[in-house]
């Protein structure tokens, strides 16, 4: 039997709204979602908003939007921990009554001073358990001071806590390395440990799939389950995501919020495919997997133990692949808002849909993200191109022969009746030999005159889309530039 097959499968994504979700956070959501969908289970969304001080405005909305954008639909929730405070308080007090927890009156100042001292002595910061065994008299005295105590867990001083991680196998922590961690804070809010255990139990979570950074919290949770006499869920800690330099993933590696990727014109299908491969693989070859294939094949057995490496270039490449898979109509629909937003105001609106569609048929092959589309396509829309005159001579022609070549090409084009790529090519190709110019250089020159750049979609197709009038106008403008050019 596969260890992960405990039914019914109920998993959760439990983000804290302390910031906008990054790719790493959403990878956790995706793995949970895939696991639920693969086993026909439930995917539950729970917002862990008990850290009032670190709450970020708009973060909850960003979490919901990101999940929706990526099509990670949830079956239950969102539950908000801030709306469930009485449940945690009740459990905290139950633990207190049953002798698994105690009241701690230590002031934040004392705790901070202790922490600093421990850091100075190179010891791991840990509560010194001063309030663990207070004499009744002392308790009464402290109670009378009016200080609101916190509730701390009475962690066993000896022994070990072991659990089976579905990815890493058996994991053991020595209890004396664990702190008497806080369960309920003096503001009445639970800590992550208490709220997480209570909710995972109450919500009948079968599997906890979460990032590796939570591994050291798990023995605490296991001890809490034991104290509460609850059956713990199964745990699976997902491998870390690092940058190509093996440092912790950050903005500098091109990893950012999901919202930002959406703005830059990544397709949700590409992002899902990319994220699925951050720690999971089908085999050692397959890169492109549809959502359905991911659901079909996903299993924890193929989640790696070693860190996954985030590679921005791969994400871009993959997005390009997904962009090219779109029908032209779909591509136009996706790209149009980007063109509309980014093209200069001088370009007449509304954009001509037929023209846009012709232009985009040449751009689709080349764009890796939608945000690149306006940049790649702008020369199709502008009345006048701005480019460095030297670009016309980048094929090492002198200004005079360049001007001559453009003049001859213009004359030839005047005669072209059917303005399509084939006709344009048959008109222009023979000219290179007539002018005694290398074909590459000749077409390179024309490309710059037509597009203002050295790299652009195929020349004749570009000219066909631009139309006769625009092309001739651009040749004229190039001649003007050359006439004022001094070598
Ligand atoms: N609230 C935690 C987070 O922000 C959840 C950790 C867990 O999944 O238990 O990642």
């Amino acid at each position: 039997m596969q260890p992960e097959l405990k039914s019914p499968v109920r998993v959760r994504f439990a983000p804290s709204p302390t910031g906008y979700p990054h790719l790493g956070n959403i990878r956790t959501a995706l793995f949970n979602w895939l696991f639920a969908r693969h086993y026909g289970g439930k995917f539950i969304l729970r917002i862990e908003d008990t850290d009032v001080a670190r709450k970020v405005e708009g973060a909850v909305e960003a979490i919901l939007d990101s999940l929706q954008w990526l099509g990670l639909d949830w079956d239950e929730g969102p539950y908000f921990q801030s709306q469930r405070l009485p449940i945690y308080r009740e459990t905290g007090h139950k633990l207190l009554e049953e002798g698994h927890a105690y009241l701690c009156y230590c002031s934040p100042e004392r705790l901070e001073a202790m922490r600093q001292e421990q850091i100075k002595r190179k010891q791991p910061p840990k509560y010194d358990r001063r309030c663990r065994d207070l004499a009744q008299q002392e308790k009464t005295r402290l109670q009378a001071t009016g200080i609101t105590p916190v509730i701390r867990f009475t962690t066993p001083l000896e022994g070990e806590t072991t659990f089976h991680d579905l990815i890493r196998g058996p994991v053991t922590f020595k209890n004396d390395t664990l702190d008497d961690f806080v369960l309920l804070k003096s503001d009445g809010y639970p800590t992550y440990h208490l709220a997480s255990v209570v909710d995972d139990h109450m919500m009948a979570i079968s599997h906890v799939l979460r990032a590796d950074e939570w591994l050291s919290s798990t023995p605490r949770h296991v001890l809490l389950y034991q104290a509460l006499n609850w059956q713990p869920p199964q745990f699976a800690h997902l491998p870390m995501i690092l940058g190509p330099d093996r440092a912790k993933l950050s903005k500098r590696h091109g990893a950012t919020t999901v919202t930002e990727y959406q703005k830059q014109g990544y397709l949700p299908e590409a992002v899902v495919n990319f994220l699925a491969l951050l720690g999971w693989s089908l085999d050692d070859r397959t890169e492109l997997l549809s959502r359905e294939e991911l659901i079909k094949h996903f299993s924890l057995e193929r989640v790696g133990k070693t860190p996954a490496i985030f590679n921005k270039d791969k994400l871009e490449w993959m997005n390009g692949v997904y962009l090219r898979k779109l029908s032209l109509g779909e591509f136009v629909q996706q790209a149009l808002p980007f063109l509309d937003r980014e093209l200069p105001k001088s370009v007449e609106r509304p954009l001509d849909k037929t023209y846009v569609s012709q232009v985009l048929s040449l751009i689709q092959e080349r764009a890796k993200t939608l945000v690149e589309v306006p940049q790649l396509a702008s020369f199709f829309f502008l009345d006048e191109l701005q480019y460095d005159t030297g670009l016309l001579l980048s094929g090492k022609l002198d200004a005079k022969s360049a001007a001559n070549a453009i003049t001859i090409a213009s004359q030839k084009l005047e005669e072209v009746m059917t303005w399509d790529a084939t006709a344009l090519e048959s008109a222009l190709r023979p000219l290179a030999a007539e002018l005694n110019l290398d074909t590459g250089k000749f077409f390179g020159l024309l490309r710059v005159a037509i597009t203002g750049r050295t790299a652009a979609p195929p020349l004749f197709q570009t000219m066909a889309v631009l139309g006769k009038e625009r092309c001739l106008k651009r040749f004229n403008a190039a001649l003007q530039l050359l006439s004022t050019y001094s070598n």
Side-chain angles (χ1 to χ4, degrees):
M1 194 188 86
Q2 292 186 11
E4 65 193 42
L5 276 181
K6 186 181 152 192
S7 62
V9 165
R10 287 175 60 83
V11 290
R12 83 310 193 266
F13 176 50
S16 303
T18 50
Y20 280 37
H22 276 69
L23 283 193
N25 310 120
I26 294 296
R27 194 270 316 249
T28 301
L30 174 65
F31 280 28
N32 276 284
W33 183 84
L34 287 172
F35 189 79
R37 295 292 170 261
H38 178 84
Y39 291 112
K42 296 271 186 267
F43 175 58
I44 291 143
L45 178 58
R46 182 170 84 216
I47 306 293
E48 302 205 323
D49 56 350
T50 58
D51 196 340
V52 186
R54 290 182 58 219
K55 207 170 159 182
V56 165
E57 198 57 45
V60 171
E61 291 73 14
I63 291 166
L64 303 188
D65 288 350
S66 302
L67 293 174
Q68 264 156 0
W69 179 61
L70 293 170
L72 307 183
D73 54 332
W74 54 94
D75 305 299
E76 279 178 36
Y79 297 111
F80 290 85
Q81 289 188 326
S82 60
Q83 293 170 9
R84 299 164 55 80
L85 300 181
I87 306 177
Y88 313 121
R89 285 181 196 153
E90 194 186 308
T91 314
H93 284 98
K94 183 171 135 82
L95 285 162
L96 193 60
E97 278 152 30
E98 292 176 0
H100 294 295
Y102 60 92
L103 295 174
C104 168
Y105 295 89
C106 291
S107 66
E109 294 75 28
R110 173 172 191 270
L111 297 174
E112 186 50 28
M114 184 167 61
R115 216 175 71 89
Q116 292 304 337
E117 185 58 29
Q118 287 164 337
I119 292 173
K120 218 164 79 194
R121 280 198 250 125
K122 300 215 164 14
Q123 290 168 347
K126 219 162 107 181
Y127 176 55
D128 66 358
R129 301 190 159 120
R130 179 154 115 175
C131 294
R132 183 161 161 144
D133 299 304
L134 287 182
Q136 190 50 52
Q137 210 186 352
E138 184 62 1
K139 275 191 206 165
T140 319
R141 187 190 71 79
L142 285 164
Q143 254 158 31
T145 61
I147 302 170
T148 317
V150 303
I151 298 184
R152 285 187 185 269
F153 186 64
T154 315
T155 303
L157 301 176
E158 290 164 359
E160 294 176 339
T161 299
T162 297
F163 55 91
H164 183 84
D165 186 281
L166 293 174
I167 294 167
R168 299 168 156 253
V171 180
T172 301
F173 283 82
K174 279 184 142 59
N175 290 338
D176 65 7
T177 62
L178 307 172
D179 207 353
D180 281 358
F181 53 97
V182 175
L183 299 170
L184 273 175
K185 299 180 270 186
S186 53
D187 62 4
Y189 276 77
T191 55
Y192 156 67
H193 300 303
L194 178 64
S196 173
V197 165
V198 168
D199 280 349
D200 285 343
H201 174 72
M202 301 274 176
M203 296 174 188
I205 298 303
S206 62
H207 298 77
V208 168
L209 275 53
R210 64 182 162 212
D212 204 64
E213 62 186 293
W214 301 101
L215 186 76
S216 60
S217 295
T218 306
R220 296 174 172 86
H221 298 181
V222 171
L223 288 170
L224 268 175
Y225 281 106
Q226 285 168 2
L228 289 160
N229 220 350
W230 292 344
Q231 172 76 27
Q234 305 212 52
F235 296 100
H237 290 87
L238 308 174
M240 266 193 287
I241 307 176
L242 302 178
D245 56 359
R246 308 214 127 239
K248 193 172 180 296
L249 189 61
S250 75
K251 256 205 159 123
R252 132 184 100 80
H253 300 115
T256 166
T257 61
V258 176
T259 319
E260 190 54 36
Y261 285 107
Q262 184 178 7
K263 272 202 212 132
Q264 289 177 16
Y266 284 83
L267 296 180
E269 297 306 317
V271 176
V272 163
N273 188 160
F274 174 78
L275 285 180
L277 297 178
L278 282 181
W280 174 87
S281 62
L282 175 63
D283 48 38
D284 49 18
R285 295 180 307 276
T286 316
E287 304 257 53
L288 299 173
L289 291 122
S290 68
R291 190 178 293 262
E292 291 67 36
E293 287 169 322
L294 290 171
I295 292 173
K296 181 166 166 222
H297 297 296
F298 187 80
S299 81
L300 292 182
E301 275 143 53
R302 293 211 52 93
V303 173
K305 289 189 185 58
T306 49
I309 307 293
F310 173 89
N311 181 338
K312 172 107 195 287
D313 295 339
K314 181 168 166 186
L315 172 57
E316 280 185 2
W317 164 78
M318 198 171 267
N319 199 58
V321 172
Y322 277 85
L323 283 177
R324 290 193 286 282
K325 277 194 197 176
L326 298 178
S327 70
L328 178 59
E330 288 167 337
F331 183 67
V332 172
Q333 201 189 354
Q334 297 275 357
L336 201 54
F338 286 82
L339 278 176
D340 222 10
R341 202 175 58 220
E342 299 297 331
L343 287 178
K345 293 214 175 11
S346 58
V347 176
E348 202 183 304
R349 306 294 204 284
L351 299 168
D352 177 344
K353 261 283 199 57
T354 316
Y355 185 62
V356 165
S357 171
Q358 287 168 351
V359 169
L360 292 187
S361 72
L362 298 182
I363 299 297
Q364 188 171 6
E365 282 299 308
R366 308 172 64 89
K368 291 196 292 299
T369 57
L370 292 167
V371 86
E372 287 176 6
V373 170
Q375 202 256 325
L376 289 167
S378 61
F379 69 84
F380 279 102
F381 296 92
L382 299 173
D383 247 359
E384 272 171 47
L385 303 180
Q386 304 284 346
Y387 58 91
D388 180 14
T389 318
L391 217 55
L392 286 163
L393 308 176
S394 49
K396 304 252 167 347
L397 290 173
D398 60 75
K400 216 171 135 218
S401 2
N404 184 43
I406 293 176
T407 310
I408 305 279
S410 282
Q411 285 164 0
K412 191 81 189 172
L413 290 183
E414 290 281 6
E415 296 159 17
V416 173
M417 292 325 240
T418 329
W419 195 263
D420 63 28
T422 323
L424 290 168
E425 180 162 10
S426 13
L428 294 177
R429 193 172 280 281
L431 288 190
E434 281 172 37
L435 288 161
N436 210 6
L437 284 179
D438 170 78
T439 321
K441 277 189 186 173
F442 178 50
F443 290 164
L445 169 70
L446 300 186
R447 174 173 295 110
V448 173
I450 289 291
T451 68
R453 26 185 112 171
T454 48
L459 178 62
F460 306 115
Q461 293 177 29
T462 301
M463 291 175 70
V465 169
L466 273 165
K468 188 168 188 168
E469 198 187 323
R470 272 207 194 87
C471 287
L472 291 173
K473 216 174 131 196
R474 287 181 185 191
F475 278 156
N476 260 331
L479 289 173
Q480 286 284 325
L481 286 174
L482 286 170
S483 69
T484 56
Y485 189 79
S486 53
N487 283 59

